[in-house]
Amino acid sequence: MPTDTLQAPRRRVLSAAQRVAIRRATRVRAPDPSETDDELNVVPFLDVVVNLIMFLLMSMGSVAFLAEVPARLPSYGEGPGEAGFQLVVTEAGFHLSGPEGLLAPDCASPAMGGPTVPRHAGRYDLGALRACAARAAGTAGGRITLSADPLVPFQTVVQAMDAVRVTPSGRPLFDDVALAAGVR
């Protein structure tokens, strides 16, 4: 009588020598120092570093070009009548002086002291500085020397420089701006 039942596969029994051989073949062991290659391949690392340096140099060049502020340092030993105007930015406000001395808040007469354009409510009045510079620019010959107190933020110095260069309508005021040392 035929049997259609499936028989379980017979389990194979390994001998002791076979088990030892399998254990030896599958054992994880530390590599022998005499068999390893101790040289480190640095060529890919150098390729990455050189490319990174080239990228940084190229990006810094373009950033420096865009952030450039055209200005020049004042020269010494200037002849009479070439001194122009001076603008000093302090925490108290803008001090504008010409060949006759410090200008008063009306930007026409000499002052005894204090800023020409004082700060109002802790803010610099760039509009008043631009109006005062427009009144004084007719006699200045287009030249102004700008200096600032070290406690004044750099952004304020740049805004003052922009305010004395041109009027809101685009008429040039002081197109020759020289930067001088701070006032402290």
Side-chain angles (χ1 to χ4, degrees):
M1 163 179 234
T3 61
D4 290 339
T5 61
L6 292 175
Q7 294 181 359
R10 280 178 59 193
R11 192 167 170 203
R12 209 169 152 185
V13 178
L14 299 175
S15 68
Q18 289 174 328
R19 286 193 300 265
V20 169
I22 290 172
R23 248 186 268 131
R24 280 188 187 146
T26 59
R27 185 180 342 161
V28 177
R29 51 186 176 168
D32 186 16
S34 63
E35 296 175 5
T36 61
D37 186 16
D38 288 341
E39 292 183 27
L40 179 63
N41 188 5
V42 296
V43 173
F45 174 73
L46 290 176
D47 286 342
V48 169
V49 168
V50 168
N51 286 331
L52 183 63
I53 289 172
M54 288 182 1
F55 171 75
L56 290 174
L57 287 174
M58 294 301 289
S59 64
M60 287 304 297
S62 62
V63 168
F65 176 73
L66 294 175
E68 182 179 339
V69 176
R72 66 172 188 77
L73 294 173
S75 59
Y76 294 100
E78 301 167 304
E82 297 180 15
F85 279 72
Q86 290 81 33
L87 174 63
V88 180
V89 185
T90 64
E91 290 181 317
F94 300 109
H95 300 264
L96 186 64
S97 60
E100 300 85 28
L102 183 66
L103 295 177
D106 66 356
C107 299
S109 60
M112 290 303 188
T116 306
V117 181
R119 287 175 68 176
H120 295 291
R123 300 190 67 170
Y124 289 95
D125 192 358
L126 296 169
L129 174 64
R130 182 174 282 129
C132 186
R135 289 191 70 185
T139 61
R143 180 160 187 205
I144 190 166
T145 303
L146 177 80
S147 62
D149 186 357
L151 300 176
V152 174
F154 180 70
Q155 184 65 30
T156 303
V157 175
V158 172
Q159 289 171 345
M161 187 184 304
D162 290 340
V164 297
R165 282 184 188 259
V166 293
T167 63
S169 63
R171 183 178 67 87
L173 294 173
F174 296 102
D175 54 353
D176 187 8
V177 177
L179 295 176
V183 293
R184 285 190 190 214

